[in-house]
Amino acid sequence: MSRFRESGVAGLRNRPRRSSGTGRRQKLLAVFLPDTVHKSPRTLGLARDRWTLQSLQAQCARQTGERPSLESLRRSLKRFGYSWKRAKRTITSPDPDYERKKGSREAGG
């Protein structure tokens, strides 16, 4: 109502909105993600074997100066046809009898 009181009927027309930068961000991720996810994190100096959303976010910030949200990265990965599974934590041991010991412990012995 205030727009009508201030400007009459002309005030009821939709005003142009400010861009949230989504299109720019999508273009950035369209270039960054395919180039990056096909590289091992180790080749970029990271001490890990697989990418996580957090490590992709940090790498994007280092490379481009932009820090997309984790949700933006997740949606972009899905849109570009990438899929992933949550990493599983595994414990190993240099002990040559580790597998045998682990098997007896899991069997209740």
Side-chain angles (χ1 to χ4, degrees):
M1 289 300 288
S2 64
R3 286 171 47 186
F4 178 74
R5 279 188 234 122
E6 290 172 12
S7 305
V9 175
L12 297 178
R13 291 191 187 101
N14 286 333
R15 297 177 188 167
R17 296 182 181 188
R18 257 186 31 213
S19 171
S20 65
T22 302
R24 182 178 50 80
R25 190 175 310 116
Q26 286 179 357
K27 288 177 187 174
L28 172 83
L29 291 175
V31 173
F32 167 77
L33 284 174
D35 184 49
T36 305
V37 297
H38 290 288
K39 295 178 184 173
S40 168
R42 290 195 184 275
T43 63
L44 298 171
L46 302 173
R48 58 177 52 251
D49 293 320
R50 306 231 185 258
W51 288 109
T52 63
L53 287 176
Q54 290 82 2
S55 61
L56 280 171
Q57 182 187 50
Q59 185 63 28
C60 186
R62 279 191 291 277
Q63 276 185 237
T64 67
E66 296 278 334
R67 189 175 195 87
S69 71
L70 297 177
E71 185 62 18
S72 291
L73 283 169
R74 187 195 65 75
R75 281 193 314 260
S76 294
L77 286 168
K78 186 175 181 179
R79 185 174 54 253
F80 298 136
Y82 297 106
S83 63
W84 70 95
K85 293 181 180 179
R86 187 177 305 269
K88 295 181 181 178
R89 295 192 186 269
T90 58
I91 299 173
T92 60
S93 171
D95 182 357
D97 292 329
Y98 175 72
E99 288 299 320
R100 183 184 57 77
K101 293 175 182 176
K102 183 175 91 169
S104 65
R105 185 173 57 234
E106 289 174 355

